[in-house]
Amino acid sequence: ASDPDRKTYEAYMEAYGQNGIPTAFVVDKEGRVAWVGHPMDGLDETIEKVVAGTFDIAAARAEFDGRAERERKMMELNRLFGAYVELREGGKT
């Protein structure tokens, strides 16, 4: 597949705060994005539940939002730790 104008990238990857490949998107029977994530983090189980009509989209959304917040906090922690290391290497405490 090709996305030279990055329209698909913007509509999915950016819209859902994703920057890693592979990323899978599962769309339910009602046309809603029901699940977003790495294919090895529950894709098969999600598809089975969506097809069976037993998938809990609200719970998936809560888990997705929690994951996004944890990732944001981890990025901030990494940034702060990098600044700390830089200061320590410069002889500052």
Side-chain angles (χ1 to χ4, degrees):
S2 178
D3 187 23
D5 297 330
R6 298 179 61 84
K7 289 181 181 180
T8 301
Y9 181 85
E10 291 169 2
Y12 287 91
M13 297 295 281
E14 285 184 5
Y16 287 88
Q18 302 299 298
N19 58 12
I21 295 174
T23 297
F25 296 84
V26 176
V27 179
D28 68 10
K29 295 174 184 177
E30 295 176 27
R32 302 174 298 182
V33 173
W35 184 88
V36 178
H38 190 283
M40 295 187 73
D41 290 339
L43 176 61
D44 292 339
E45 179 183 351
T46 298
I47 290 172
E48 288 173 11
K49 287 181 179 180
V50 167
V51 170
T54 61
F55 186 75
D56 185 344
I57 197 167
R61 176 61 189 234
E63 191 278 328
F64 179 83
D65 289 345
R67 183 174 6 121
E69 180 62 16
R70 288 188 303 277
E71 288 173 5
R72 186 195 64 73
K73 287 179 180 179
M74 185 57 75
M75 288 178 67
E76 177 64 9
L77 181 61
N78 286 336
R79 185 191 69 75
L80 291 170
F81 184 71
Y84 166 78
V85 169
E86 192 174 308
L87 288 170
R88 288 290 294 170
E89 289 175 351
K92 297 181 180 179
T93 57

